[in-house]
Amino acid sequence: MADKTAKRGKLVVVGGGIAGVSCTEQLASQFPSEEIVLLTAAPLIKAVTNFKQVSKTLEDFDVEEQPCSIIEKKYPNVKVIQSVVKQLQAKEHKLQTENGKELHYEKLCICSGGRPKLFIRDSPHVLGIRDTDSAQELQKRLSKAKRIVVIGNGGIALELVYEVEGCEVIWAVKDKAIGNTFFDAGAAQFLIPCMDTDKPERATPYKRTRYTTDRAAPTCAPSAEHGKPNQNPDSAEKLGSALGPDWHEGMKLRGAQEVSRRVHVEYQCEVLKVYTAEEFLNSQHESQESSQCGLDPSSETGLWPVYIKLTNGKTYGCDFIVSATGVTPNTEPFLLGNDFAVAEDSGLKVDDHMRTSEPDVYAAGDVCTTGWDPSPLWQQMRLWTQARQMGWFAARCMAADLLDEPVELDFCFELFSHITKFFNYKVVLLGKFNAQGLGQDHELLVRCTKGKEYVKVVLRQGRMVGAVLIGETDLEETFENLMLNQMDLSAYGDELLNPNIDIEDYFD
């Protein structure tokens, strides 16, 4: 039986997310006469579009969902198989899929992404935002909601809180400031006023083609990236790749109220307990909501569908809870029966050639954890930028190993760089932008113009090692060069950020 269903793919990639698709496309280009097999659990994959190399390390691009057939048309040597991985037998160089196929590989790259960290599972009142289907479910449920609670302080939480209109939002963050993953308290203070003002009208309508999965079609996995059998059909892990950086574009994230936006933030707290309406009635807890929270008392009519108690002692009723608390590397079902080195964060540990500890098995994107000594100005973060870079570099390493050629660690790993958008502001992060790992051995320079820009520079021994740029500062390329060159800036002092000095011309 196995012989009839076996497909011999020299090069196999698992995962239809950015890392997997980038790896597949690069392999297809390097080996146009070889069959490249992409194994994905969903009919939609993630593709990079509108790619722009902004500077030496900074890159900007869009992420677009596309049917699997598009990559097959673009690369005739790519074969997409839609199924979930059942088991990897690394010693035998063999993959087994849920639909009964066997894939024999010479080289394998695991790009199975991450799965959402839900603070509570199997609750109909808790929605995890990770993929396209869950985003559509959010849109549907939000249309009838008067209040939601958002748990999390990462990118999706930041975007969601800003985009939601017509609904009260209670935002619970475990840190002292919002956006702790991306910036410091100063930048957070710069952005907070945006939550109390109306969003600007979009200059142009969103016209990019979007695809959706057919809900009538049988679903075979929780995620296109996950490669994990859906052992629990009630799980929040549903079919679909991870969300793109502009996942909310073209979606109407509007609640049932007339208000534009009303956000209340609860700092330094986590979820203690979730109650159904009946459980809340039976308990002796009283809701701590009051007008001083900036909430509309008139919304307190009857019982809410769900109540959430926070570690700061406050309890809130709401229509539903959104869990946006990040992801954990999705290593199942690759570990069983194999001998992978697994990092503390549960990722597959890879060396500077993106190789795992199993022969001929590579990994890229959210599923992996870098095991080499990084550049002093680079750190791994599970972001779209690095997923694309890792997938592309993993393909280069696979090709180099097959051709017995040397390959150097790519320049993109020399300096951490990321472009995104929060609260309608352009955000650029460079190097040790939050002074990661520097301890007390650093100083900060900050320039802030309310409503326009926020510029923070991290200096160590007179040399620039990190920066946060919010707004149209046009400083990213200059600061990138100063970090890469490690010029001693001690002589310039605070003048480095003097708005009356054109720093771009000064260091040109």
Side-chain angles (χ1 to χ4, degrees):
M1 181 68 180
D3 290 347
K4 292 180 182 179
T5 58
K7 286 189 177 295
R8 298 196 173 273
K10 184 177 183 181
L11 303 172
V12 177
V13 180
V14 175
I18 283 296
V21 172
S22 298
C23 182
T24 300
E25 291 183 331
Q26 179 66 13
L27 286 173
S29 297
Q30 290 204 239
F31 299 101
S33 60
E34 296 286 345
E35 183 182 62
I36 315 297
V37 176
L38 174 61
L39 184 64
T40 175
L44 299 180
I45 59 171
K46 297 285 184 181
V48 169
T49 59
N50 302 324
F51 180 87
K52 291 180 290 186
Q53 192 71 43
V54 178
S55 63
K56 291 188 185 77
T57 63
L58 272 169
E59 51 190 50
D60 195 12
F61 57 85
D62 296 323
V63 176
E64 184 175 308
E65 287 190 315
Q66 297 178 348
C68 300
S69 56
I70 289 184
I71 191 173
E72 291 181 316
K73 290 177 183 176
K74 187 177 179 182
Y75 301 97
N77 58 324
V78 170
K79 171 67 175 175
V80 179
I81 298 177
Q82 187 186 334
S83 185
V84 185
V85 173
K86 182 179 181 181
Q87 186 181 12
L88 167 64
Q89 295 169 281
K91 299 295 185 291
E92 291 81 14
H93 284 55
K94 184 168 66 176
L95 272 175
Q96 293 184 354
T97 69
E98 281 287 295
N99 62 1
K101 288 185 171 62
E102 278 190 0
L103 299 176
H104 295 259
Y105 62 85
E106 187 170 341
K107 301 285 184 184
L108 168 70
C109 191
I110 299 173
C111 305
S112 52
R115 60 182 187 272
K117 294 178 187 173
L118 292 182
F119 65 88
I120 184 173
R121 291 189 176 275
D122 306 326
S123 170
H125 302 296
V126 178
L127 179 63
I129 301 298
R130 166 67 179 171
D131 54 27
T132 309
D133 281 0
S134 61
Q136 290 172 343
E137 177 67 16
L138 167 68
Q139 184 180 16
K140 177 183 171 185
R141 293 173 70 166
L142 194 59
S143 65
K144 301 174 183 177
K146 293 183 178 180
R147 182 187 300 160
I148 63 171
V149 173
V150 176
I151 309 295
N153 202 14
I156 288 181
L158 281 166
E159 292 166 336
L160 179 62
V161 167
Y162 180 73
E163 292 295 331
V164 168
E165 296 179 289
C167 182
E168 295 171 348
V169 177
I170 310 296
W171 187 10
V173 301
K174 65 180 180 180
D175 309 296
K176 293 181 180 179
I178 64 168
N180 193 60
T181 306
F182 296 98
F183 31 70
D184 61 7
Q189 284 301 119
F190 173 82
L191 292 173
I192 276 179
C194 299
M195 294 193 294
D196 299 323
T197 57
D198 290 344
K199 290 187 299 181
E201 290 293 323
R202 298 195 188 279
T204 55
Y206 189 80
K207 293 183 178 178
R208 187 184 314 151
T209 304
R210 299 181 73 87
Y211 302 90
T212 56
T213 53
D214 182 357
R215 289 186 175 274
T219 59
C220 54
S223 164
E225 288 186 359
H226 294 174
K228 177 183 178 183
N230 196 353
Q231 297 165 333
N232 182 0
D234 297 322
S235 166
E237 299 168 18
K238 295 181 180 179
L239 182 68
S241 290
L243 290 166
D246 54 5
W247 63 275
H248 49 77
E249 297 282 4
M251 297 186 72
K252 185 180 178 183
L253 295 178
R254 173 164 279 281
Q257 299 206 67
E258 291 300 316
V259 297
S260 175
R261 276 185 298 154
R262 188 171 295 169
V263 180
H264 171 68
V265 186
E266 291 287 351
Y267 295 100
Q268 292 182 278
C269 63
E270 297 184 61
V271 178
L272 188 63
K273 189 170 177 61
V274 174
Y275 301 92
T276 63
E278 184 180 2
E279 289 169 341
F280 181 74
L281 267 182
N282 293 335
S283 73
Q284 298 304 308
H285 295 82
E286 292 185 359
S287 177
Q288 300 294 318
E289 296 154 336
S290 65
S291 57
Q292 68 183 17
C293 293
L295 302 176
D296 184 1
S298 65
S299 62
E300 283 294 328
T301 54
L303 282 172
W304 292 97
V306 62
Y307 288 78
I308 185 166
K309 184 173 184 180
L310 304 173
T311 51
N312 62 6
K314 294 185 180 181
T315 302
Y316 289 100
C318 61
D319 289 290
F320 64 94
I321 302 163
V322 179
S323 177
T325 49
V327 299
T328 187
N330 186 57
T331 55
E332 297 181 67
F334 306 102
L335 300 181
L336 184 64
N338 298 310
D339 191 26
F340 284 106
V342 178
E344 289 183 8
D345 64 2
S346 302
L348 299 177
K349 192 177 287 188
V350 294
D351 65 12
D352 58 3
H353 280 58
M354 306 306 294
R355 293 177 295 217
T356 69
S357 54
E358 285 286 10
D360 299 317
V361 180
Y362 302 70
D366 287 2
V367 75
C368 80
T369 302
T370 55
W372 67 82
D373 290 330
S375 156
L377 299 177
W378 187 88
Q379 63 273 335
Q380 182 181 7
M381 291 184 72
R382 287 178 166 86
L383 301 168
W384 290 99
T385 309
Q386 290 191 356
R388 193 207 70 81
Q389 291 169 341
M390 286 182 172
W392 179 85
F393 183 59
R396 281 193 59 210
C397 292
M398 293 166 76
D401 288 348
L402 281 167
L403 300 171
D404 198 23
E405 295 176 352
V407 62
E408 296 292 328
L409 189 63
D410 194 82
F411 189 73
C412 67
F413 298 107
E414 192 65 29
L415 173 71
F416 174 87
S417 57
H418 185 61
I419 297 179
T420 187
K421 182 174 279 193
F422 290 129
F423 292 15
N424 210 42
Y425 284 101
K426 175 184 175 182
V427 177
V428 177
L429 308 174
L430 294 170
K432 300 294 183 179
F433 61 90
N434 256 350
Q436 295 97 323
L438 300 183
Q440 300 300 312
D441 186 21
H442 70 277
E443 59 177 317
L444 304 178
L445 295 180
V446 175
R447 181 175 91 199
C448 181
T449 306
K450 187 176 180 181
K452 183 181 179 184
E453 66 172 18
Y454 177 89
V455 178
K456 181 187 77 172
V457 166
V458 183
L459 297 171
R460 186 180 192 184
Q461 298 174 359
R463 289 167 171 80
M464 192 181 297
V465 294
V468 174
L469 307 173
I470 303 178
E472 297 296 333
T473 67
D474 293 326
L475 292 172
E476 50 265 33
E477 194 164 4
T478 300
F479 283 5
E480 178 193 61
N481 287 330
L482 289 175
M483 287 183 218
L484 291 171
N485 296 338
Q486 284 296 284
M487 179 188 292
D488 190 346
L489 305 171
S490 304
Y492 303 100
D494 293 343
E495 292 297 298
L496 193 63
L497 294 186
N498 187 332
N500 298 317
I501 296 176
D502 193 337
I503 191 172
E504 294 176 82
D505 292 339
Y506 201 82
F507 291 107
D508 193 14

